Amino acid sequence: MPGLEVAYNNFLISFLIDRKYRVGRHLLLVLFFVFVSFNMPLMTCATFLDRIDYMVIYTSLVLLFTYLAGIYLHIYVLLPKFLLKKRYMLYAGLVSLQIVIILSISAASDYWLNRYYHQEPGIYSYFYKSRIPAVEMIGNFLLYALLIAGTSITILLRHWQEYSKRKNELEKVNLKTEVDRLKDQINPEFLFNMLDEAKERTFDNPDQASLVLMKLSKLLRYQLYDGNREKVLLLSEIAFIEQFLSLAKMRYNNLTFTVSTAGNVNHKFIPPLLFVPFAIHYIRLLPSMNTQMDLHFTFDAGQQGLSFLCICFTPGAAPRKELEESRELKDVRQRLDLLFPAAYTITVSDEGALHKIDLNVKL
């Protein structure tokens, strides 16, 4: 049953990671090595069990101490101080040395028991006549390496979980910072100028001043409310860009623009202020230009993603600021890398008076 399987998997992961199961994990680990430590001497003495005495128990305790010391040394020293700090060569060398020491003590205990009871090595002994010691040592070395790796899974899973959590939190902080930067770009450099424009037109053209204030209120409402959301309707983003460009056109007579849509833009959700930086980039160029600027924004919402095309035409002159080096485009790329890693393409072309930005995002 899928529900039971999911619950089982969740419990297994929790048992391996959560600190509340720490005692249970250590208890299972100790019990496992108790079994191994006491089983190995008994297998060595399998052919003369009737003659064994307390020496088998003493040997088992030595093996138990050796295994537990090696495992906990690895968990609390080698793993955090070397592997997790990316000191891989030193970590591999120390783990290999640790395994060699454990194997040496294990083989020595095997040899000691046979000598102590004056017996020839049996079939389960390291030194059985039909076995090749070198092959036995290599096989056991790999076996202990796998065992050590298995006991490390708890630390590694917890480390991975904490790393993923920190990464997600950092991405959220970065995204919020980028959105705040976008708001800062619009507020001081454009909105305050439009307030001055409305003030100047209050007496000679009150209707125009009222229209400016109405459009400004819509922009601020979008920034204050929708700009703080994780996702907004694509239609709202398009409306914001139209309001922004309309205000810019009131202030700069050398600007014309069009905003067109295709596909189902009414049901697409995107991060807020994703396309605004492109408009900001070109509007910033207008005060220093003495020529006409034609802006064309096209949004095409498909089933699997969104296509955005921005065309800027400035006949007779080209904007001096290179698109590839603009702050706005760098901000957009950074946000796209965080929001849609490996799920977007952006192409910027600059052909004299014609500038084009082609952005495709898989949503």
Side-chain angles (χ1 to χ4, degrees):
M1 297 176 66
L4 292 176
E5 184 178 352
V6 171
Y8 173 77
N9 291 335
N10 290 338
F11 172 75
L12 182 60
I13 294 175
S14 297
F15 183 80
L16 291 174
I17 296 177
D18 288 354
R19 295 188 180 277
K20 64 181 180 180
Y21 297 114
R22 184 178 182 180
V23 175
R25 289 196 301 267
H26 285 282
L27 182 61
L28 284 178
L29 185 64
V30 171
L31 288 176
F32 171 78
F33 282 108
V34 166
F35 173 79
V36 172
S37 301
F38 281 82
N39 187 58
M40 288 186 64
L42 290 175
M43 292 183 67
T44 300
C45 302
T47 58
F48 49 93
L49 288 176
D50 56 325
R51 298 182 55 194
I52 61 174
D53 54 15
Y54 287 107
M55 185 56 66
V56 171
I57 298 177
Y58 299 150
T59 305
S60 299
L61 292 174
V62 170
L63 288 175
L64 178 61
F65 175 79
T66 301
Y67 293 145
L68 291 180
I71 290 299
Y72 281 105
L73 177 67
H74 177 261
I75 291 175
Y76 291 108
V77 179
L78 301 183
L79 195 62
K81 292 187 178 297
F82 298 98
L83 181 63
L84 297 183
K85 292 186 178 180
K86 300 181 179 181
R87 302 168 69 180
Y88 301 123
M89 296 299 295
L90 186 56
Y91 168 79
L94 290 174
V95 170
S96 298
L97 177 61
Q98 181 187 46
I99 295 175
V100 169
I101 293 173
I102 293 174
L103 283 176
S104 300
I105 294 176
S106 180
S109 66
D110 186 324
Y111 180 79
W112 162 253
L113 286 174
N114 286 295
R115 290 294 302 272
Y116 178 81
Y117 291 109
H118 306 288
Q119 296 291 326
E120 290 293 326
I123 190 172
Y124 298 110
S125 173
Y126 283 107
F127 307 99
Y128 183 61
K129 58 184 178 181
S130 297
R131 292 187 176 183
I132 303 174
V135 175
E136 288 294 318
M137 288 298 176
I138 294 174
N140 281 279
F141 182 94
L142 297 176
L143 181 63
Y144 280 111
L146 290 174
L147 183 61
I148 287 176
T151 57
S152 306
I153 191 170
T154 298
I155 305 297
L156 295 176
L157 281 175
R158 188 184 299 122
H159 178 75
W160 172 80
Q161 186 183 54
E162 293 174 353
Y163 172 79
S164 299
K165 184 179 179 180
R166 288 196 303 269
K167 182 181 178 182
N168 291 334
E169 291 176 351
L170 181 60
E171 288 180 353
K172 290 180 181 179
V173 171
N174 287 340
L175 289 175
K176 186 179 185 303
T177 302
E178 292 302 322
V179 173
D180 291 342
R181 282 187 61 187
L182 287 174
K183 294 177 181 178
D184 291 341
Q185 290 175 20
I186 298 174
N187 280 329
E189 298 182 14
F190 183 78
L191 299 182
F192 291 158
N193 290 336
M194 294 310 301
L195 285 173
D196 292 338
E197 186 80 9
K199 182 181 69 174
E200 293 175 3
R201 297 187 183 189
T202 300
F203 298 103
D204 59 344
N205 195 341
D207 292 337
Q208 188 78 358
S210 177
L211 181 61
V212 170
L213 291 175
M214 182 185 68
K215 290 182 178 292
L216 274 175
S217 68
K218 291 182 178 179
L219 288 182
L220 291 172
R221 189 178 300 112
Y222 183 85
Q223 285 184 264
L224 291 173
Y225 298 105
D226 291 344
N228 290 323
R229 296 176 181 174
E230 184 177 350
K231 293 287 183 69
V232 297
L233 277 172
L234 175 59
L235 191 64
S236 300
E237 181 85 355
I238 295 172
F240 179 87
I241 291 176
E242 287 182 312
Q243 296 289 341
F244 179 74
L245 293 175
S246 296
L247 282 171
K249 183 175 174 58
M250 290 180 182
R251 184 170 179 83
Y252 305 109
N253 296 324
N254 58 335
L255 171 66
T256 59
F257 73 92
T258 61
V259 179
S260 58
T261 62
N264 193 4
V265 297
N266 296 319
H267 296 87
K268 286 287 185 182
F269 286 88
I270 63 168
L273 304 174
L274 187 62
F275 301 102
V276 174
F278 300 112
I280 295 175
H281 170 76
Y282 290 110
I283 298 306
R284 276 182 169 173
L285 301 175
L286 283 169
S288 61
M289 294 182 62
N290 296 319
T291 184
Q292 183 72 21
M293 176 183 285
D294 297 321
L295 278 177
H296 303 279
F297 286 73
T298 303
F299 298 86
D300 186 358
Q303 291 292 331
Q304 301 298 325
L306 173 65
S307 296
F308 168 74
L309 179 64
C310 173
I311 298 176
C312 176
F313 181 60
T314 53
R320 297 292 94 190
K321 193 174 182 180
E322 295 292 337
L323 283 176
E324 291 287 355
E325 299 176 357
S326 67
R327 183 178 69 181
E328 292 80 16
L329 187 58
K330 291 179 180 178
D331 290 343
V332 169
R333 289 185 186 276
Q334 185 173 355
R335 287 192 72 200
L336 289 172
D337 287 337
L338 293 172
L339 291 166
F340 310 103
Y344 79 94
T345 59
I346 184 169
T347 304
V348 180
S349 59
D350 189 350
E351 302 174 2
L354 183 66
H355 297 252
K356 185 185 295 185
I357 301 173
D358 191 0
L359 173 62
N360 293 278
V361 182
K362 294 181 181 179
L363 299 176

